[in-house]
Amino acid sequence: MKIKVIAFDADDTLFVNEPYFQETEQKFCVLLSDYLSHQGLSQELFKTEIDNLDLYGYGIKGYTLSMIEAAMKISNNTISIEVIEKIIVLGKELLQKPIELLDGVEEILKALQGKYKLVVATKGDLKDQQSKLHRSGLGPYFHHIEVMADKQELNYEKLLKRLEIEPGEFFMIGNSLKSDVLPVLAIGGHAVHVPFHTTWEHEKISHKVEHERFTTVSKITDILPLFQ
């Protein structure tokens, strides 16, 4: 492999993210427990999130708006202003969650820095992702930070063009097969899947991935032998 750039996903690859969303969803379901079962509330919220992705994109702010919209639908527009205020507070709390680095992240970045150009390739709200990377203390390891509207083939192709590299010189590391692996393989890049213990439903796929430019590791430090 003639790798020049190694890209890392941010959420649930560098630091914890999805468990915070799940915790917020639990609180949302408690707030609306008079209207539907926990499962019913979760399903309605998820459906609203997906319906709004094209408008809001990924991130906490869009998620907060979707919680408010879902609450209005579930209650047939009878939800009180007090509950809406509590949902807004949930969103603000989510934006201020502490940064919890995953095991081995800083170790692997130190080992690779200087040998390859390291970048962050993530999706979500620009301000939120920049804030998390700043608070994580990991910013100095990276040559470039790319916050994408989505992670489709076209998004990665644009990133490679900005980095002035060929697909075969690009290596993506992330926890999502759907977003971090499949589109990168499709354009001719390399990818490693580092599973996280929980995954957002929208990021799950139903088939096994087998490819000569792909591998799965159990923890992020296991990628080091690939670059020696």
Side-chain angles (χ1 to χ4, degrees):
M1 295 187 300
K2 297 181 179 180
I3 302 301
K4 292 183 178 179
V5 173
I6 302 176
F8 292 82
D9 174 51
D11 294 331
D12 298 323
T13 299
L14 299 179
F15 37 70
V16 172
N17 180 66
E18 179 59 20
Y20 292 150
F21 276 86
Q22 292 184 351
E23 177 187 321
T24 300
E25 182 180 316
Q26 292 280 346
K27 293 177 179 177
F28 171 84
C29 290
V30 170
L31 280 176
L32 278 296
S33 59
D34 289 342
Y35 296 94
L36 283 175
S37 66
H38 184 112
Q39 182 179 9
L41 292 165
S42 293
Q43 289 174 344
E44 186 61 43
L45 176 56
F46 179 71
K47 180 181 182 301
T48 305
E49 282 182 84
I50 301 307
D51 288 346
N52 285 335
L53 275 181
D54 286 342
L55 283 173
Y56 301 152
Y58 297 87
I60 295 171
K61 294 170 188 173
Y63 180 69
T64 303
L65 288 171
S66 290
M67 282 195 290
I68 293 171
E69 182 178 338
M72 293 172 68
K73 288 179 183 177
I74 291 163
S75 69
N76 195 26
N77 293 326
T78 62
I79 198 73
S80 70
I81 191 65
E82 288 78 17
V83 172
I84 291 177
E85 287 175 343
K86 289 179 181 178
I87 292 173
I88 292 171
V89 168
L90 290 179
K92 289 182 177 180
E93 289 176 347
L94 196 51
L95 283 166
Q96 298 175 75
K97 287 291 185 181
I99 302 300
E100 182 182 347
L101 294 183
L102 295 178
D103 290 343
V105 164
E106 195 150 19
E107 176 187 341
I108 202 70
L109 293 176
K110 285 180 180 177
L112 296 174
Q113 189 182 35
K115 299 176 183 177
Y116 301 90
K117 187 176 290 185
L118 305 183
V119 306
V120 172
T122 192
K123 61 186 179 184
D125 178 79
L126 178 61
K127 184 174 178 62
D128 180 37
Q129 293 291 23
Q130 288 178 336
S131 170
K132 286 195 287 188
L133 282 163
H134 173 72
R135 288 184 287 133
S136 74
L138 299 178
Y141 290 106
F142 297 105
H143 167 81
H144 177 78
I145 296 171
E146 185 85 2
V147 181
M148 302 159 145
D150 204 349
K151 282 184 168 178
Q152 303 292 332
E153 292 173 31
L154 179 61
N155 304 98
Y156 282 105
E157 288 170 347
K158 289 180 179 178
L159 173 60
L160 298 190
K161 187 174 181 179
R162 277 191 283 277
L163 295 169
E164 299 181 327
I165 59 170
E166 297 298 320
E169 299 170 326
F170 181 73
F171 209 114
M172 182 69 198
I173 298 165
N175 69 295
S176 170
L177 290 168
K178 181 178 179 180
S179 294
D180 301 321
V181 172
L182 294 180
V184 172
L185 296 178
I187 65 171
H190 305 262
V192 168
H193 180 223
V194 187
F196 191 61
H197 65 82
T198 184
T199 303
W200 184 31
E201 197 66 32
H202 185 60
E203 293 293 335
K204 294 179 180 179
I205 63 172
S206 59
H207 62 280
K208 186 177 180 181
V209 178
E210 293 183 354
H211 199 285
E212 60 183 4
R213 297 192 308 277
F214 166 74
T215 189
T216 296
V217 296
S218 60
K219 58 185 184 298
I220 199 166
T221 48
D222 291 342
I223 69 171
L224 197 55
L226 299 173
F227 301 103
Q228 292 180 336

